[in-house]
Coordinates of all heavy atoms in Angstrom, one line a residue:
V165 N -8.1 13.2 11.7 CA -7.2 12.9 10.6 C -6.1 14.0 10.5 O -6.5 15.2 10.6 CB -7.9 12.7 9.3 CG1 -6.9 12.3 8.2 CG2 -9.1 11.7 9.4
A166 N -4.9 13.6 10.3 CA -3.8 14.6 10.1 C -4.1 15.4 8.9 O -4.6 14.8 7.9 CB -2.5 13.9 10.0
P167 N -3.9 16.6 8.9 CA -4.1 17.5 7.7 C -3.3 17.0 6.5 O -2.1 16.6 6.7 CB -3.7 18.9 8.1 CG -2.9 18.7 9.3 CD -3.3 17.4 10.0
G168 N -3.9 17.0 5.3 CA -3.1 16.6 4.1 C -3.2 15.1 3.9 O -2.8 14.7 2.8
L169 N -3.8 14.3 4.8 CA -3.9 12.9 4.5 C -5.3 12.6 3.9 O -6.3 13.1 4.3 CB -3.7 12.1 5.7 CG -2.3 12.0 6.3 CD1 -2.2 11.0 7.5 CD2 -1.3 11.5 5.2
L170 N -5.3 11.7 2.9 CA -6.5 11.3 2.2 C -7.2 10.3 3.1 O -6.6 9.5 3.8 CB -6.3 10.7 0.9 CG -5.6 11.5 -0.2 CD1 -5.2 10.6 -1.4 CD2 -6.6 12.5 -0.7
R171 N -8.6 10.2 3.0 CA -9.3 9.1 3.6 C -9.6 8.2 2.5 O -10.3 8.5 1.5 CB -10.6 9.7 4.2 CG -10.4 10.5 5.4 CD -11.7 11.3 5.8 NE -12.8 10.3 6.1 CZ -13.0 9.8 7.3 NH1 -12.1 10.0 8.3 NH2 -14.0 8.9 7.5
V172 N -9.0 7.0 2.5 CA -9.1 6.1 1.4 C -9.9 4.8 1.7 O -9.6 4.2 2.7 CB -7.6 5.6 1.0 CG1 -7.7 4.7 -0.2 CG2 -6.8 6.9 0.7
T173 N -10.9 4.6 1.0 CA -11.7 3.4 1.2 C -11.2 2.2 0.4 O -10.4 2.5 -0.6 CB -13.2 3.6 0.7 OG1 -13.1 3.9 -0.7 CG2 -13.8 4.7 1.4
P174 N -11.5 1.0 0.7 CA -11.0 -0.2 -0.1 C -11.3 0.0 -1.6 O -10.5 -0.4 -2.4 CB -11.7 -1.4 0.5 CG -12.0 -0.9 1.9 CD -12.3 0.5 1.9
S175 N -12.5 0.5 -1.9 CA -12.8 0.7 -3.4 C -11.9 1.7 -4.1 O -11.5 1.6 -5.2 CB -14.2 0.9 -3.6 OG -14.7 2.1 -3.0
M176 N -11.5 2.8 -3.3 CA -10.6 3.8 -3.9 C -9.2 3.2 -4.0 O -8.5 3.4 -5.0 CB -10.5 5.0 -2.9 CG -11.7 5.9 -2.9 SD -11.6 7.1 -1.6 CE -10.2 8.1 -2.0
L177 N -8.8 2.4 -3.1 CA -7.5 1.7 -3.1 C -7.4 0.8 -4.4 O -6.5 0.9 -5.2 CB -7.4 0.7 -2.0 CG -6.4 0.9 -0.9 CD1 -6.2 -0.3 0.0 CD2 -5.0 1.3 -1.5
E178 N -8.5 0.1 -4.6 CA -8.6 -0.8 -5.8 C -8.6 0.0 -7.1 O -7.9 -0.3 -8.1 CB -10.0 -1.5 -5.7 CG -10.2 -2.6 -6.8 CD -9.5 -3.9 -6.5 OE1 -9.2 -4.2 -5.3 OE2 -9.2 -4.6 -7.5
K179 N -9.3 1.1 -7.1 CA -9.5 1.9 -8.3 C -8.2 2.7 -8.7 O -7.7 2.7 -9.8 CB -10.6 2.9 -8.1 CG -10.9 3.7 -9.4 CD -12.2 4.5 -9.2 CE -12.4 5.4 -10.4 NZ -13.5 6.3 -10.2
Y180 N -7.6 3.3 -7.7 CA -6.4 4.2 -8.0 C -5.1 3.5 -7.7 O -4.0 3.9 -8.1 CB -6.5 5.5 -7.2 CG -7.7 6.2 -7.4 CD1 -8.7 6.4 -6.4 CD2 -7.9 6.8 -8.7 CE1 -9.8 7.1 -6.7 CE2 -9.1 7.5 -8.9 CZ -10.1 7.7 -7.9 OH -11.2 8.3 -8.2
G181 N -5.1 2.4 -6.9 CA -3.9 1.8 -6.4 C -3.3 0.7 -7.2 O -2.2 0.2 -6.9
R182 N -4.0 0.3 -8.2 CA -3.4 -0.8 -9.0 C -2.9 -0.3 -10.3 O -3.5 0.6 -11.0 CB -4.5 -1.8 -9.4 CG -5.3 -2.2 -8.1 CD -6.1 -3.4 -8.3 NE -5.2 -4.5 -8.7 CZ -5.6 -5.8 -8.6 NH1 -6.7 -6.1 -8.1 NH2 -4.7 -6.7 -9.0
P183 N -1.7 -0.8 -10.7 CA -1.2 -0.2 -12.0 C -2.0 -0.6 -13.2 O -2.3 -1.7 -13.4 CB 0.2 -0.9 -12.0 CG 0.2 -2.1 -11.1 CD -0.9 -1.8 -10.1
R184 N -2.4 0.4 -13.9 CA -3.1 0.2 -15.2 C -2.5 1.0 -16.2 O -2.3 2.2 -16.0 CB -4.6 0.6 -15.0 CG -5.4 -0.5 -14.5 CD -6.9 -0.3 -14.8 NE -7.7 -0.9 -13.7 CZ -8.1 -0.2 -12.7 NH1 -7.7 1.0 -12.5 NH2 -8.8 -0.8 -11.7
K185 N -2.1 0.4 -17.3 CA -1.4 1.2 -18.4 C -2.3 2.4 -18.8 O -3.5 2.2 -18.9 CB -1.1 0.3 -19.6 CG 0.1 -0.6 -19.3 CD 0.4 -1.5 -20.5 CE 1.6 -2.4 -20.1 NZ 1.8 -3.5 -20.9
P186 N -1.6 3.5 -19.0 CA -0.2 3.8 -19.0 C 0.3 4.2 -17.6 O 1.4 4.5 -17.4 CB -0.1 5.0 -19.9 CG -1.3 5.8 -19.7 CD -2.4 4.7 -19.5
R187 N -0.6 4.1 -16.6 CA -0.3 4.6 -15.3 C 0.4 3.4 -14.5 O -0.1 2.3 -14.5 CB -1.5 5.1 -14.6 CG -1.6 5.2 -13.2 CD -2.8 5.9 -12.7 NE -4.0 5.2 -12.7 CZ -4.2 4.1 -11.9 NH1 -3.2 3.6 -11.2 NH2 -5.4 3.5 -11.9
K188 N 1.5 3.8 -13.8 CA 2.2 2.7 -13.1 C 2.0 2.9 -11.6 O 2.7 2.2 -10.8 CB 3.7 2.7 -13.4 CG 3.9 2.2 -14.8 CD 5.4 1.8 -15.0 CE 5.6 1.3 -16.4 NZ 6.9 1.8 -16.9
M189 N 1.3 3.9 -11.2 CA 1.2 4.3 -9.8 C 0.6 3.1 -8.9 O -0.4 2.5 -9.4 CB 0.3 5.5 -9.6 CG 0.2 6.0 -8.2 SD -0.7 7.5 -8.1 CE -2.4 7.0 -8.4
V190 N 1.1 2.8 -7.8 CA 0.7 1.8 -6.9 C 0.5 2.3 -5.5 O 1.4 2.9 -4.9 CB 1.6 0.5 -6.9 CG1 1.1 -0.5 -6.0 CG2 1.8 0.0 -8.3
W191 N -0.7 2.0 -5.0 CA -1.0 2.3 -3.6 C -1.1 1.0 -2.8 O -1.6 0.0 -3.4 CB -2.3 3.1 -3.4 CG -2.3 4.5 -4.0 CD1 -1.3 5.1 -4.6 CD2 -3.4 5.4 -3.9 NE1 -1.8 6.4 -5.0 CE2 -3.1 6.5 -4.6 CE3 -4.7 5.3 -3.4 CZ2 -3.9 7.6 -4.7 CZ3 -5.6 6.4 -3.5 CH2 -5.2 7.5 -4.2
M192 N -0.8 1.0 -1.6 CA -1.0 -0.2 -0.7 C -1.3 0.3 0.7 O -0.7 1.2 1.2 CB 0.3 -1.0 -0.7 CG 0.2 -2.4 0.0 SD 1.7 -3.3 -0.1 CE 1.9 -3.6 -1.8
A193 N -2.2 -0.4 1.3 CA -2.6 -0.2 2.7 C -1.8 -1.1 3.6 O -1.7 -2.3 3.3 CB -4.0 -0.3 3.0
L194 N -1.2 -0.6 4.6 CA -0.4 -1.4 5.6 C -0.7 -0.8 7.0 O -0.5 0.4 7.2 CB 1.1 -1.3 5.3 CG 1.6 -2.0 4.0 CD1 3.0 -1.5 3.6 CD2 1.5 -3.5 4.1
E195 N -1.3 -1.7 7.9 CA -1.6 -1.3 9.2 C -2.4 0.0 9.3 O -2.1 0.9 10.1 CB -0.3 -1.2 10.0 CG 0.4 -2.5 10.1 CD 1.8 -2.4 10.8 OE1 2.5 -1.5 10.4 OE2 2.1 -3.3 11.5
G196 N -3.4 0.1 8.5 CA -4.3 1.3 8.5 C -3.9 2.5 7.8 O -4.6 3.5 7.8
K197 N -2.6 2.4 7.3 CA -2.1 3.6 6.6 C -2.0 3.3 5.1 O -1.8 2.1 4.7 CB -0.8 4.0 7.1 CG -0.9 4.5 8.6 CD 0.4 4.9 9.1 CE 0.3 5.4 10.5 NZ 1.4 5.0 11.3
V198 N -2.2 4.3 4.2 CA -2.1 4.1 2.8 C -0.8 4.8 2.2 O -0.6 5.9 2.5 CB -3.4 4.6 2.1 CG1 -3.3 4.4 0.6 CG2 -4.6 3.9 2.6
Y199 N 0.0 4.0 1.5 CA 1.2 4.5 1.0 C 1.2 4.5 -0.5 O 0.6 3.5 -1.1 CB 2.4 3.6 1.5 CG 2.5 3.6 2.9 CD1 1.9 2.6 3.7 CD2 3.3 4.5 3.6 CE1 2.1 2.5 5.1 CE2 3.5 4.5 5.0 CZ 2.8 3.5 5.7 OH 3.0 3.4 7.1
N200 N 1.8 5.5 -1.1 CA 2.0 5.4 -2.6 C 3.4 4.8 -2.7 O 4.4 5.4 -2.5 CB 2.0 6.8 -3.2 CG 2.3 6.9 -4.6 OD1 2.8 5.9 -5.2 ND2 2.1 8.0 -5.3
I201 N 3.4 3.5 -3.0 CA 4.7 2.8 -3.0 C 5.4 2.7 -4.4 O 6.4 2.0 -4.6 CB 4.5 1.3 -2.5 CG1 3.6 0.5 -3.5 CG2 3.9 1.2 -1.1 CD1 3.7 -1.0 -3.5
T202 N 4.9 3.5 -5.3 CA 5.4 3.5 -6.7 C 6.9 3.6 -6.8 O 7.6 2.7 -7.4 CB 4.8 4.6 -7.5 OG1 3.4 4.7 -7.3 CG2 5.1 4.5 -9.0
A203 N 7.5 4.5 -6.0 CA 8.9 4.7 -6.1 C 9.7 3.6 -5.5 O 10.9 3.4 -5.8 CB 9.3 6.1 -5.5
Y204 N 9.1 2.9 -4.6 CA 9.8 1.8 -3.9 C 9.9 0.5 -4.7 O 10.7 -0.3 -4.4 CB 9.1 1.6 -2.5 CG 9.8 0.4 -1.7 CD1 11.1 0.5 -1.2 CD2 9.1 -0.8 -1.5 CE1 11.7 -0.5 -0.5 CE2 9.7 -1.8 -0.8 CZ 11.0 -1.7 -0.4 OH 11.6 -2.7 0.3
I205 N 9.0 0.3 -5.6 CA 8.8 -1.0 -6.3 C 10.2 -1.6 -6.8 O 10.5 -2.7 -6.5 CB 7.8 -0.9 -7.5 CG1 6.4 -0.5 -7.0 CG2 7.8 -2.2 -8.3 CD1 5.4 -0.2 -8.1
P206 N 11.0 -0.8 -7.5 CA 12.2 -1.4 -8.0 C 13.2 -1.8 -6.9 O 14.2 -2.5 -7.2 CB 12.8 -0.3 -8.9 CG 11.9 0.9 -8.9 CD 10.8 0.6 -7.9
F207 N 13.0 -1.3 -5.7 CA 14.0 -1.5 -4.6 C 13.6 -2.7 -3.7 O 14.3 -3.0 -2.8 CB 14.2 -0.2 -3.8 CG 14.7 0.9 -4.6 CD1 13.8 1.9 -5.0 CD2 16.0 1.0 -5.0 CE1 14.3 3.0 -5.8 CE2 16.5 2.0 -5.7 CZ 15.6 3.0 -6.1
H208 N 12.4 -3.2 -3.9 CA 11.9 -4.3 -3.0 C 12.8 -5.5 -3.1 O 12.9 -6.1 -4.1 CB 10.5 -4.7 -3.3 CG 9.9 -5.7 -2.4 ND1 9.4 -6.9 -2.8 CD2 9.8 -5.7 -1.1 CE1 9.0 -7.6 -1.8 NE2 9.2 -6.9 -0.7
P209 N 13.4 -5.9 -2.0 CA 14.4 -7.1 -2.0 C 13.7 -8.3 -2.4 O 14.4 -9.3 -2.9 CB 14.9 -7.2 -0.6 CG 14.6 -5.8 0.1 CD 13.3 -5.3 -0.6
G210 N 12.4 -8.5 -2.2 CA 11.7 -9.7 -2.6 C 11.2 -9.7 -4.1 O 10.6 -10.6 -4.5
G211 N 11.5 -8.6 -4.8 CA 11.1 -8.5 -6.2 C 9.8 -7.8 -6.4 O 9.0 -7.7 -5.5
E212 N 9.5 -7.3 -7.6 CA 8.3 -6.6 -7.9 C 7.1 -7.5 -7.8 O 6.1 -7.0 -7.3 CB 8.4 -6.0 -9.3 CG 9.5 -5.0 -9.5 CD 9.3 -4.2 -10.8 OE1 8.3 -4.3 -11.5 OE2 10.2 -3.4 -11.1
G213 N 7.2 -8.7 -8.3 CA 6.0 -9.5 -8.4 C 5.4 -9.8 -7.0 O 4.2 -9.7 -6.8
E214 N 6.3 -10.1 -6.1 CA 5.9 -10.3 -4.7 C 5.2 -9.1 -4.1 O 4.1 -9.2 -3.5 CB 7.1 -10.7 -3.8 CG 7.6 -12.1 -3.9 CD 6.6 -13.1 -3.4 OE1 5.9 -12.8 -2.4 OE2 6.5 -14.2 -3.9
L215 N 5.9 -8.0 -4.2 CA 5.3 -6.7 -3.7 C 4.0 -6.4 -4.3 O 3.0 -6.1 -3.6 CB 6.3 -5.6 -4.0 CG 5.9 -4.2 -3.5 CD1 5.8 -4.2 -2.0 CD2 7.0 -3.2 -3.9
L216 N 3.8 -6.7 -5.6 CA 2.6 -6.3 -6.3 C 1.4 -7.2 -6.0 O 0.3 -6.9 -6.4 CB 2.8 -6.1 -7.8 CG 3.8 -5.0 -8.2 CD1 4.0 -4.9 -9.6 CD2 3.2 -3.6 -7.6
R217 N 1.7 -8.3 -5.3 CA 0.6 -9.2 -4.9 C -0.5 -8.4 -4.1 O -1.7 -8.7 -4.1 CB 1.1 -10.4 -4.1 CG 1.8 -11.4 -4.9 CD 2.5 -12.4 -4.0 NE 1.5 -13.2 -3.3 CZ 1.9 -14.0 -2.2 NH1 3.1 -14.0 -1.8 NH2 0.9 -14.7 -1.6
A218 N 0.0 -7.4 -3.4 CA -0.9 -6.6 -2.6 C -1.1 -5.2 -3.1 O -1.6 -4.3 -2.4 CB -0.4 -6.5 -1.1
A219 N -0.9 -5.0 -4.4 CA -1.1 -3.7 -5.0 C -2.6 -3.4 -5.0 O -3.4 -4.2 -5.3 CB -0.7 -3.7 -6.5
G220 N -3.0 -2.2 -4.5 CA -4.3 -1.8 -4.5 C -5.2 -2.5 -3.4 O -6.4 -2.5 -3.5
K221 N -4.5 -3.1 -2.5 CA -5.2 -3.8 -1.4 C -4.6 -3.5 -0.1 O -3.6 -2.8 0.1 CB -5.0 -5.3 -1.7 CG -5.5 -5.8 -2.9 CD -5.5 -7.3 -2.9 CE -6.0 -7.9 -4.3 NZ -5.1 -8.8 -4.9
D222 N -5.2 -4.1 0.9 CA -4.6 -4.0 2.3 C -3.6 -5.2 2.4 O -4.0 -6.4 2.4 CB -5.7 -4.2 3.3 CG -5.2 -4.1 4.7 OD1 -4.0 -4.1 4.9 OD2 -6.0 -3.9 5.7
G223 N -2.4 -4.9 2.4 CA -1.3 -5.9 2.4 C -0.8 -6.3 3.7 O 0.1 -7.1 3.9
T224 N -1.5 -5.9 4.8 CA -1.0 -6.1 6.1 C -0.8 -7.6 6.5 O 0.3 -7.9 6.9 CB -2.0 -5.5 7.2 OG1 -2.3 -4.2 6.9 CG2 -1.4 -5.6 8.6
S225 N -1.8 -8.4 6.2 CA -1.6 -9.9 6.6 C -0.5 -10.5 5.8 O 0.4 -11.3 6.3 CB -2.9 -10.6 6.5 OG -3.3 -10.7 5.2
L226 N -0.4 -10.2 4.5 CA 0.7 -10.8 3.6 C 2.0 -10.3 4.1 O 3.0 -11.0 4.2 CB 0.4 -10.3 2.2 CG 1.0 -11.1 1.0 CD1 0.7 -12.6 1.2 CD2 0.4 -10.6 -0.3
F227 N 2.0 -9.0 4.4 CA 3.3 -8.4 4.9 C 3.7 -9.0 6.2 O 4.9 -9.3 6.4 CB 3.1 -6.9 5.1 CG 4.3 -6.1 5.5 CD1 5.1 -5.5 4.6 CD2 4.6 -6.0 6.9 CE1 6.3 -4.9 5.0 CE2 5.8 -5.3 7.3 CZ 6.6 -4.8 6.3
M228 N 2.8 -9.2 7.1 CA 3.1 -9.8 8.4 C 3.6 -11.3 8.3 O 4.5 -11.7 9.0 CB 1.9 -9.8 9.3 CG 1.6 -8.4 9.8 SD 3.1 -7.6 10.6 CE 2.5 -6.0 10.9
K229 N 3.1 -12.0 7.3 CA 3.5 -13.4 7.0 C 4.9 -13.4 6.5 O 5.6 -14.3 6.8 CB 2.5 -14.0 6.0 CG 1.4 -14.8 6.7 CD 0.5 -15.4 5.6 CE -0.9 -15.2 6.0 NZ -1.9 -15.2 4.8
T230 N 5.3 -12.4 5.6 CA 6.6 -12.5 5.0 C 7.7 -11.8 5.8 O 8.8 -12.4 5.8 CB 6.5 -11.8 3.6 OG1 5.8 -10.6 3.7 CG2 5.8 -12.7 2.6
H231 N 7.4 -10.7 6.4 CA 8.4 -10.0 7.2 C 7.9 -9.0 8.2 O 8.0 -7.8 7.9 CB 9.5 -9.4 6.2 CG 8.8 -8.8 5.0 ND1 7.6 -8.1 5.0 CD2 9.3 -8.8 3.7 CE1 7.4 -7.7 3.7 NE2 8.3 -8.2 2.9
S232 N 7.4 -9.6 9.2 CA 6.8 -8.7 10.3 C 7.9 -7.8 10.9 O 7.5 -6.8 11.5 CB 6.1 -9.5 11.3 OG 7.1 -10.4 11.9
W233 N 9.2 -8.2 10.8 CA 10.2 -7.4 11.4 C 10.6 -6.1 10.6 O 11.4 -5.3 11.1 CB 11.5 -8.3 11.5 CG 12.0 -8.8 10.3 CD1 12.9 -8.2 9.4 CD2 11.6 -10.0 9.6 NE1 13.1 -9.0 8.3 CE2 12.4 -10.1 8.4 CE3 10.8 -11.1 9.9 CZ2 12.2 -11.2 7.5 CZ3 10.6 -12.1 9.0 CH2 11.4 -12.2 7.8
V234 N 10.1 -6.0 9.4 CA 10.5 -4.8 8.6 C 9.8 -3.6 9.1 O 8.6 -3.6 9.3 CB 10.2 -5.1 7.0 CG1 10.4 -3.8 6.2 CG2 11.1 -6.2 6.5
N235 N 10.5 -2.5 9.2 CA 9.9 -1.3 9.7 C 9.2 -0.5 8.6 O 9.9 0.3 7.9 CB 11.0 -0.4 10.4 CG 10.5 0.9 11.0 OD1 9.4 1.3 10.7 ND2 11.4 1.5 11.7
V236 N 8.0 -0.7 8.4 CA 7.2 0.0 7.3 C 7.3 1.5 7.4 O 7.6 2.2 6.5 CB 5.7 -0.4 7.4 CG1 5.0 0.2 6.2 CG2 5.6 -1.9 7.3
E237 N 6.9 2.0 8.6 CA 6.9 3.5 8.8 C 8.2 4.1 8.5 O 8.3 5.1 7.9 CB 6.4 3.8 10.2 CG 5.9 5.2 10.4 CD 4.9 5.7 9.4 OE1 4.0 4.9 9.0 OE2 5.0 6.9 9.0
G238 N 9.3 3.4 9.0 CA 10.6 3.9 8.8 C 11.0 4.0 7.3 O 11.6 4.9 6.8
M239 N 10.6 2.9 6.6 CA 11.0 2.9 5.1 C 10.1 3.7 4.2 O 10.5 4.2 3.2 CB 11.0 1.4 4.7 CG 12.0 0.6 5.3 SD 12.1 -1.1 4.6 CE 12.5 -0.7 2.9
L240 N 8.8 3.7 4.5 CA 7.8 4.3 3.6 C 7.1 5.5 4.2 O 6.2 6.1 3.6 CB 6.7 3.2 3.3 CG 7.1 2.0 2.5 CD1 5.9 1.1 2.3 CD2 7.8 2.3 1.2
G241 N 7.6 6.0 5.3 CA 7.0 7.2 5.9 C 6.8 8.4 4.9 O 5.8 9.0 4.9
G242 N 7.8 8.5 4.1 CA 7.8 9.6 3.1 C 6.8 9.4 2.0 O 6.5 10.3 1.2
C243 N 6.2 8.2 1.9 CA 5.3 7.8 0.9 C 3.9 7.8 1.4 O 2.9 7.4 0.7 CB 5.6 6.5 0.3 SG 7.3 6.3 -0.4
L244 N 3.7 8.2 2.7 CA 2.3 8.1 3.3 C 1.4 9.1 2.6 O 1.7 10.3 2.5 CB 2.5 8.4 4.8 CG 1.2 8.4 5.6 CD1 0.6 7.0 5.7 CD2 1.5 9.0 7.0
I245 N 0.3 8.6 2.1 CA -0.7 9.6 1.5 C -2.0 9.6 2.2 O -2.8 10.5 2.0 CB -0.9 9.2 0.0 CG1 -1.4 7.8 -0.2 CG2 0.3 9.5 -0.8 CD1 -1.9 7.5 -1.6
G246 N -2.4 8.6 3.0 CA -3.7 8.6 3.6 C -3.9 7.6 4.7 O -3.0 6.8 5.0
I247 N -5.1 7.5 5.2 CA -5.5 6.5 6.1 C -6.6 5.6 5.5 O -7.4 6.2 4.7 CB -6.0 7.0 7.4 CG1 -7.1 8.0 7.2 CG2 -4.8 7.7 8.2 CD1 -8.0 8.2 8.5
L248 N -6.7 4.4 5.8 CA -7.7 3.5 5.3 C -8.9 3.6 6.2 O -8.9 3.5 7.4 CB -7.2 2.0 5.4 CG -8.0 1.0 4.7 CD1 -8.1 1.2 3.2 CD2 -7.4 -0.4 5.0
V249 N -10.1 3.8 5.5 CA -11.4 3.9 6.2 C -12.3 3.0 5.5 O -12.2 2.7 4.3 CB -11.9 5.3 6.2 CG1 -11.0 6.3 7.0 CG2 -12.2 5.8 4.8
S250 N -13.3 2.5 6.2 CA -14.3 1.6 5.6 C -15.3 2.4 4.8 O -15.4 3.6 4.9 CB -15.1 0.8 6.7 OG -15.9 1.7 7.4
E251 N -15.9 1.7 3.8 CA -16.9 2.3 3.0 C -18.0 2.9 3.8 O -18.5 4.0 3.6 CB -17.5 1.3 2.0 CG -16.6 0.4 1.2 CD -15.8 1.1 0.1 OE1 -16.2 2.2 -0.3 OE2 -14.8 0.5 -0.3
E252 N -18.4 2.2 4.8 CA -19.5 2.7 5.7 C -19.2 4.0 6.4 O -19.9 4.9 6.5 CB -19.9 1.6 6.8 CG -20.4 0.3 6.2 CD -19.3 -0.6 5.6 OE1 -18.1 -0.4 6.0 OE2 -19.6 -1.4 4.7
E253 N -17.9 4.0 7.0 CA -17.4 5.1 7.7 C -17.4 6.4 6.8 O -17.8 7.5 7.2 CB -16.0 4.8 8.1 CG -15.6 5.2 9.5 CD -14.1 4.8 9.7 OE1 -13.7 3.7 9.4 OE2 -13.4 5.7 10.1
E254 N -17.0 6.2 5.5 CA -16.9 7.3 4.6 C -18.3 7.8 4.2 O -18.4 9.0 3.9 CB -16.0 6.9 3.4 CG -15.5 8.0 2.6 CD -14.7 9.1 3.4 OE1 -14.5 8.9 4.6 OE2 -14.5 10.1 2.8
A255 N -19.2 6.9 4.1 CA -20.5 7.2 3.6 C -21.3 8.0 4.7 O -22.2 8.8 4.3 CB -21.3 6.0 3.2
S256 N -21.0 7.8 6.0 CA -21.8 8.4 7.0 C -21.4 9.8 7.3 O -20.3 10.2 7.0 CB -21.7 7.6 8.3 OG -20.4 7.6 8.8
Ligands
LIG385 C1 11.8 -9.2 1.4 C2 7.3 -10.4 -0.1 C3 5.8 -5.9 0.9 C4 10.3 -4.7 2.4 C5 10.7 -9.9 0.9 C6 10.7 -11.3 0.6 C7 9.5 -11.6 0.2 C8 8.7 -10.4 0.3 C9 9.0 -13.0 -0.3 C10 11.9 -12.3 0.7 C11 12.8 -12.1 -0.4 C12 14.0 -13.0 -0.3 O1 14.4 -13.3 0.9 O2 14.5 -13.4 -1.3 C13 6.5 -9.3 0.1 C14 5.1 -9.2 -0.1 C15 4.7 -7.9 0.1 C16 5.8 -7.2 0.5 C17 4.2 -10.4 -0.6 C18 3.3 -7.4 0.0 C19 2.6 -7.0 1.1 C20 6.9 -5.1 1.3 C21 6.9 -3.8 1.7 C22 8.1 -3.4 2.1 C23 9.0 -4.6 2.0 C24 5.7 -2.8 1.6 C25 8.7 -2.1 2.6 C26 8.0 -1.5 3.6 C27 11.1 -5.8 2.3 C28 12.4 -5.9 2.8 C29 12.8 -7.3 2.6 C30 11.7 -7.9 1.8 C31 13.2 -4.8 3.5 C32 14.1 -7.9 3.0 C33 13.9 -8.4 4.4 C34 15.0 -9.2 4.9 O3 15.8 -9.8 4.2 O4 15.1 -9.2 6.2 N1 9.5 -9.4 0.7 N2 7.0 -8.0 0.5 N3 8.2 -5.6 1.5 N4 10.7 -7.0 1.7 FE1 8.8 -7.5 1.1

């Protein structure tokens, strides 16, 4: 793992990645990487609601269905916080 990147399990994504008042922070996993997309939310061309369908989840399949041509790494590279790992992997 690259230094400085978190190992994030699906349950951690769910726990920390969904906006819960008063916290608005949102994490999303895309193609095995975990991004803190909070700052990007107001800029999403498809609107906040669409983007937040995958808040705190692995949004890869939804993302691929809507716009597989969008360069995630190019747009969100600066928001990369970790890599997605399975619960089993993390426990072992
Ligand atoms: C546009 C949904 C995540 C970047 C759109 C549109 C939808 C959508 C429906 C079309 C809006 C329109 O044409 O009126 C979603 C859903 C997401 C998601 C359900 C959850 C996974 C993301 C993420 C990014 C992103 C993470 C950035 C990396 C964009 C861009 C467009 C767009 C750049 C404009 C694409 C174009 O017109 O070619 N999105 N989005 N989206 N979204 Fe998302």
Side-chain angles (χ1 to χ4, degrees):
V165 183
L169 286 186
L170 297 169
R171 293 168 58 85
V172 180
T173 61
S175 60
M176 286 167 69
L177 245 193
E178 183 80 28
K179 184 169 175 190
Y180 302 112
R182 311 195 58 162
R184 271 199 212 91
K185 281 181 182 162
R187 161 169 79 60
K188 289 195 181 142
M189 185 173 73
V190 179
W191 292 2
M192 188 181 293
L194 294 162
E195 297 170 320
K197 294 180 180 142
V198 178
Y199 300 92
N200 178 347
I201 63 159
T202 315
Y204 178 67
I205 298 171
F207 301 102
H208 181 238
E212 296 198 7
E214 280 292 326
L215 179 59
L216 293 180
R217 285 169 68 194
K221 298 191 184 128
D222 185 346
T224 307
S225 61
L226 203 48
F227 183 91
M228 288 305 171
K229 267 179 224 159
T230 43
H231 36 42
S232 58
W233 60 89
V234 172
N235 181 350
V236 181
E237 196 51 41
M239 292 187 63
L240 296 179
C243 304
L244 181 67
I245 56 168
I247 56 156
L248 187 64
V249 297
S250 66
E251 312 286 346
E252 297 75 26
E253 224 179 311
E254 196 52 10
S256 64

